[in-house]
Amino acid sequence: MTKKLIATLYTLVIVCIGIATVIEKYQGTSFVSEHVYGSWWFVVLWAVLTVAACVYLYKQRLYKRVAVVWLHLSFVVILAGALTTWLTARRGMVSLRIGQPVMVYCDDDGQFHQLPFTLHLKEFQIVNYPGTDAPLDYQSIVRVEQKAKATEEIVVSMNHIGNVSGYRLFQSSYDNDGLGVLLGVCYDPYGIAVTYLGYLLLLVGIVATLLSRQTQMRTLYRKALQPLAIMVVLLLGSGSAHAAQLQTVDRDIASQMGTVNVLYNNRICPLNTVATDFVTKLTGSASWGGYTADEIFVSWMIFYSPWEQQKLIRIKGRDVQQLLGIDGLWASYNDFWDEYHEYKLKNALDQLMAGRGSIDRKSLLEADEKFHVVEMFYRGQMLRMFPYVLDGQVEWYVPGSQVLPREIPVKEQFFIKQAMDYLTESIVTGQKERAFELIAKIKLFQRDMLGDLLPSEQATQVELFYNCLSSQKWPVFLTLTLSLLLCVLVSVSSQLSRRRWFRLSSMAFVGLLIAWLTIQLALRWWLSGHVPVSNGYETMLFMAWVLLIMTALMQRKFPVLLGLGTMMAAFCLLVAMLAGGSPQLTPLMPVLTSPLLSVHVMTVMCAYALFALQVLLGVQAMFLHRRGNDTELQRITALSQLLLYPAVFLLTAGIFLGAVWANVSWGTYWSWDPKESWALITLLVYAVPLHGTSIVRFRQPMFYHVYMVCAFFTVVVTYFGVNYLLGGMHSYV
């Protein structure tokens, strides 16, 4: 009876959370916060489930197994901490202006409450990334006056919360005039302490479970030490466009221009990075018609009229193609204008914004985005090339800027306005040496203005190498082809994986992939200045890298992973290449630069990688079941169950590391954001088969594998569904 009650409540919790994330999409965060997550019935649901679980643990005498007790006790303490926070915590906002003391804050209901101290905003400042106008940090210097205590000053900034008498102040926003700020206020001295105790117990429980001899991990390990096989088939193709010969800039000059620094995406980078993004956005590839990105970008700047006629803009939607009057995938810039120089997509976009029209939204918006990329190019927004320091702030100007501050000397103004004109003249008249000389003068101007703030020549060359490496698509398709071939070969002959030549060649393949990905991730880390796990593209690359590392470490004892790991890594690379997310290097928001966040994301992605392997193991198990190979089926089941332990524990650790980061950065350790909610759902779903000894159905190999394949749906929703459909603070692409 108790077990059925637990199963019912457990399922109800998962369903309620999942439905709430969908409701939030349409009704808003405040609605679900009030009617679901903050409601009395939701709290009671968790409480009854917790009590029922504790009763069951006692009845089954599981208190005799220390590791099990520690692990489950930690969740009880964490839930107790959440309940304490719900009952006792106070949150709100306090608005500060320079010269105006404040002693009250406003809660979520609009009620004002007294603070046991007085706050004075002494100064607010925005700290920019060196050499740019992109914000690095927001800092509020606040003077605090308390009775019977000396006046103190605290700094409240992103990732640095101010603590005063149990009240935690964190940066929320600031006034446009820079003379005022809005600080978040959180008072939760008891709930946080209890919750953190639960996190500590959780860590102890995880370690104890992994080391305990009373769990089934050792038995599973022995059962899994045999070679197995796998088979999956996928075919993908790609197309390209061809261009007729047209007037272009000399390739050497274009390449040299690609080394000139510009301000792009709030970072200083070589023009080659801009050109690569520009051409990739329009064509889907970093080159076109045999021309490099630098050639296309610089040539379009100078010989713009013939380039406007080139059909190099990839248009996917058939309806959009008809609107543009093109036959096929490729459009020119001129195709976007009618005979009256009216934008052809305007009416369709107006209807889309008004909720009318039948044209595919994604295709229409994608085509419109490509058109406006060219418009940005013409407006010079991609060519902020000339830096100048005024009053300690760096401003970047586009070539030919006519309105410049009077403080800039006439000589420098003349250079900013005329340098590109002289360069264009040199290129058009074929004066190659003079063109090189002018490019060198532009670089010298930049170095004189910024000095060491400008990237070194070595850093520029490294970024050029990275752009070349990351823009190549053929390694992804080659990896996919070879990994599928590897799986097919192993499936055809179960003895093949035991042969020395096959193992050596397979490991050489894996080693090359690891080296290739390691170089990409390392360069991206160095160039961006942060761990490369900040968007969909980077996390897919990291997941592929983790899968290959796992394959290399475990393939000797688990040869089946040699095929599974490489194939799943190849699919991750394919997703990274095909996804809508841009691989551009950009500075992170200040709140995202915390090391805790990087560890949190990497831990969760390692868990997802293991879950992905279990899906392929499940598919292989289904083939083995149909063939009647029960011995191999038992071994592959044991391997999947063995991987389940570290996968669930990594996800658990990742979720609560994220909670600690959120508490440090935002002043709250859990906010029921859709990404948080679905990560919790994923944890709850995958935790079920860990209790296989007490759930009879999970002792049946086929039921277990079908469940594991279906469970991966929660991972897909957590990673892709939230990013592209549900939104929220954690949504990134």
Side-chain angles (χ1 to χ4, degrees):
M1 181 65 182
T2 306
K3 185 187 292 187
K4 290 183 179 179
L5 176 62
I6 293 173
T8 302
L9 295 174
Y10 197 85
T11 304
L12 188 58
V13 165
I14 294 174
V15 171
C16 288
I17 297 174
I19 293 176
T21 61
V22 177
I23 295 175
E24 182 177 354
K25 168 89 174 164
Y26 300 99
Q27 298 295 328
T29 302
S30 59
F31 180 86
V32 292
S33 296
E34 179 182 355
H35 294 90
V36 181
Y37 303 131
S39 64
W40 64 267
W41 63 264
F42 192 67
V43 175
V44 170
L45 181 61
W46 277 105
V48 175
L49 175 60
T50 303
V51 172
C54 291
V55 171
Y56 181 78
L57 287 172
Y58 180 79
K59 285 184 176 180
Q60 297 297 314
R61 298 185 177 181
L62 293 176
Y63 52 81
K64 294 183 178 181
R65 299 166 61 179
V66 178
V68 174
V69 171
W70 278 109
L71 192 61
H72 289 81
L73 178 62
S74 67
F75 288 105
V76 174
V77 175
I78 290 171
L79 288 173
L83 178 62
T84 304
T85 294
W86 184 68
L87 293 173
T88 65
R90 300 197 296 270
R91 293 189 179 88
M93 292 288 178
V94 57
S95 179
L96 301 179
R97 295 281 298 179
I98 292 178
Q100 299 178 10
V102 175
M103 296 185 63
V104 297
Y105 71 93
C106 179
D107 65 17
D108 297 334
D109 297 324
Q111 301 295 321
F112 286 92
H113 302 272
Q114 191 77 17
L115 290 169
F117 45 79
T118 303
L119 299 176
H120 300 261
L121 179 62
K122 181 178 179 181
E123 181 184 358
F124 172 75
Q125 57 187 7
I126 301 176
V127 181
N128 293 330
Y129 284 92
T132 77
D133 54 3
L136 169 65
D137 200 1
Y138 307 98
Q139 296 180 350
S140 300
I141 302 176
V142 181
R143 190 171 77 251
V144 182
E145 295 179 356
Q146 300 184 72
K147 294 181 180 179
K149 288 187 178 181
T151 300
E152 62 176 326
E153 284 189 0
I154 61 173
V155 177
V156 181
S157 64
M158 309 303 284
N159 284 334
H160 185 275
I161 287 179
N163 290 280
V164 184
S165 300
Y167 286 83
R168 307 169 76 235
L169 307 176
F170 51 94
Q171 189 71 41
S172 180
S173 63
Y174 60 93
D175 298 344
N176 292 332
D177 59 6
L179 301 178
V181 297
L182 188 66
L183 301 182
V185 179
C186 178
Y187 182 74
D188 184 20
Y190 312 114
I192 293 177
V194 176
T195 301
Y196 275 26
L197 175 61
Y199 294 166
L200 179 60
L201 292 175
L202 176 65
L203 176 62
V204 174
I206 289 175
V207 174
T209 302
L210 291 173
L211 299 179
S212 174
R213 296 183 178 181
Q214 295 177 313
T215 64
Q216 58 176 340
M217 287 191 65
R218 294 175 184 268
T219 303
L220 293 172
Y221 181 78
R222 288 192 294 268
K223 287 182 179 180
L225 291 179
Q226 294 294 335
L228 300 170
I230 186 83
M231 182 177 71
V232 176
V233 178
L234 180 69
L235 285 175
L236 285 169
S238 62
S240 61
H242 300 281
Q245 290 291 326
L246 57 132
Q247 195 170 9
T248 61
V249 172
D250 180 86
R251 178 165 291 192
D252 293 336
I253 295 177
S255 298
Q256 194 64 22
M257 273 294 295
T259 64
V260 175
N261 285 294
V262 294
L263 183 68
Y264 177 64
N265 278 337
N266 292 325
R267 61 181 292 266
I268 303 173
C269 64
L271 185 63
N272 173 261
T273 299
V274 184
T276 301
D277 287 349
F278 176 77
V279 175
T280 302
K281 177 65 72 175
L282 297 183
T283 70
S285 176
S287 60
W288 175 84
Y291 300 112
T292 66
D294 290 333
E295 285 181 284
I296 295 171
F297 191 88
V298 179
S299 298
W300 199 326
M301 276 197 304
I302 297 174
F303 308 111
Y304 56 88
S305 183
W307 280 95
E308 289 178 348
Q309 303 172 30
Q310 299 305 307
K311 292 187 177 294
L312 49 70
I313 304 176
R314 186 181 176 92
I315 305 297
K316 296 179 182 179
R318 181 59 184 166
D319 292 338
V320 181
Q321 293 170 7
Q322 291 178 350
L323 283 176
L324 295 178
I326 61 175
D327 184 19
L329 287 172
W330 301 96
S332 69
Y333 174 73
N334 286 344
D335 287 329
F336 285 83
W337 302 99
D338 64 15
E339 58 185 339
Y340 303 106
H341 204 66
E342 294 288 337
Y343 183 40
K344 291 181 180 180
L345 301 183
K346 183 179 184 302
N347 290 336
L349 287 166
D350 290 342
Q351 292 181 2
L352 179 66
M353 295 300 108
R356 303 189 303 271
S358 58
I359 297 179
D360 178 63
R361 176 186 178 89
K362 182 178 180 181
S363 300
L364 181 60
L365 293 179
E366 188 175 285
D368 180 64
E369 180 188 14
K370 293 182 178 183
F371 169 79
H372 281 96
V373 165
V374 182
E375 291 291 286
M376 290 170 59
F377 168 77
Y378 279 137
R379 288 195 297 267
Q381 292 175 249
M382 297 181 178
L383 279 172
R384 299 174 68 183
M385 186 181 297
F386 297 100
Y388 203 88
V389 181
L390 290 173
D391 298 326
Q393 297 293 320
V394 179
E395 295 290 339
W396 287 75
Y397 300 98
V398 301
S401 295
Q402 297 303 311
V403 181
L404 296 173
R406 295 180 179 179
E407 293 82 358
I408 300 179
V410 175
K411 182 179 179 181
E412 280 79 4
Q413 288 201 31
F414 182 80
F415 187 81
I416 294 173
K417 293 177 181 180
Q418 302 295 327
M420 282 300 296
D421 291 339
Y422 290 143
L423 178 60
T424 299
E425 179 187 351
S426 300
I427 292 173
V428 172
T429 57
Q431 301 178 61
K432 190 172 180 178
E433 293 302 322
R434 184 167 182 259
F436 285 141
E437 181 181 343
L438 286 166
I439 293 173
K441 287 183 177 180
I442 293 174
K443 290 183 176 182
L444 183 61
F445 177 88
Q446 294 178 336
R447 184 66 62 183
D448 289 342
M449 292 299 108
L450 294 185
D452 292 338
L453 293 179
L454 205 66
S456 65
E457 186 66 29
Q458 180 187 17
T460 299
Q461 293 301 319
V462 169
E463 184 155 351
L464 294 177
F465 174 71
Y466 171 78
N467 291 339
C468 178
L469 188 68
S470 62
S471 64
Q472 301 299 318
K473 293 185 176 181
W474 65 266
V476 177
F477 289 111
L478 179 62
T479 300
L480 185 63
T481 302
L482 293 179
S483 62
L484 290 173
L485 179 62
L486 179 60
C487 290
V488 171
L489 288 175
V490 175
S491 65
V492 170
S493 173
S494 59
Q495 301 298 319
L496 190 61
S497 60
R498 298 180 182 179
R499 297 186 179 181
R500 180 178 176 83
W501 68 268
F502 182 80
R503 294 288 292 276
L504 289 176
S505 58
S506 300
M507 279 307 300
F509 173 52
V510 173
L512 286 173
L513 287 178
I514 292 175
W516 179 59
L517 281 174
T518 301
I519 292 173
Q520 283 204 65
L521 290 170
L523 291 178
R524 196 170 180 88
W525 188 345
W526 183 39
L527 292 170
S528 65
H530 60 79
V531 181
V533 288
S534 63
N535 55 42
Y537 175 83
E538 291 178 345
T539 52
M540 280 289 98
L541 248 60
F542 180 77
M543 187 171 177
W545 184 76
V546 169
L547 283 164
L548 292 170
I549 294 292
M550 291 178 179
T551 298
L553 293 177
M554 296 191 290
Q555 57 82 30
R556 193 173 189 83
K557 293 185 177 180
F558 307 115
V560 64
L561 297 181
L562 198 56
L564 294 178
T566 54
M567 186 174 65
M568 185 54 68
F571 284 137
C572 289
L573 293 175
L574 186 66
V575 170
M577 185 183 73
L578 298 179
S582 172
Q584 296 173 351
L585 295 166
T586 56
L588 285 179
M589 293 170 55
V591 74
L592 300 181
T593 59
S594 168
L596 277 174
L597 176 62
S598 300
V599 177
H600 154 68
V601 175
M602 289 188 290
T603 305
V604 171
M605 293 308 298
C606 288
Y608 290 169
L610 289 173
F611 291 145
L613 285 178
Q614 287 176 301
V615 171
L616 296 183
L617 288 172
V619 174
Q620 171 65 9
M622 295 175 190
F623 281 105
L624 293 173
H625 177 70
R626 292 190 63 181
R627 296 174 184 174
N629 193 338
D630 292 337
T631 301
E632 298 298 323
L633 178 59
Q634 292 294 331
R635 288 170 179 162
I636 202 170
T637 302
L639 175 56
S640 179
Q641 292 172 336
L642 180 65
L643 294 176
L644 182 61
Y645 280 86
V648 172
F649 290 158
L650 282 170
L651 179 59
T652 304
I655 288 174
F656 293 113
L657 277 171
V660 173
W661 164 73
N663 195 42
V664 170
S665 301
W666 305 104
T668 178
Y669 54 85
W670 194 266
S671 58
W672 292 107
D673 181 77
K675 179 78 81 172
E676 295 174 351
S677 300
W678 273 98
L680 178 60
I681 290 174
T682 302
L683 175 61
L684 294 174
V685 168
Y686 275 98
V688 174
L690 283 180
H691 301 79
T693 55
S694 58
I695 303 176
V696 177
R697 295 297 299 276
F698 283 105
R699 300 174 192 173
Q700 304 170 9
M702 287 313 301
F703 178 85
Y704 167 81
H705 287 294
V706 170
Y707 181 93
M708 296 304 293
V709 172
C710 294
F712 196 69
F713 170 77
T714 61
V715 176
V716 174
V717 174
T718 304
Y719 189 81
F720 295 103
V722 173
N723 291 345
Y724 295 97
L725 298 176
L726 297 179
M729 291 187 301
H730 293 72
S731 176
Y732 59 87
V733 293

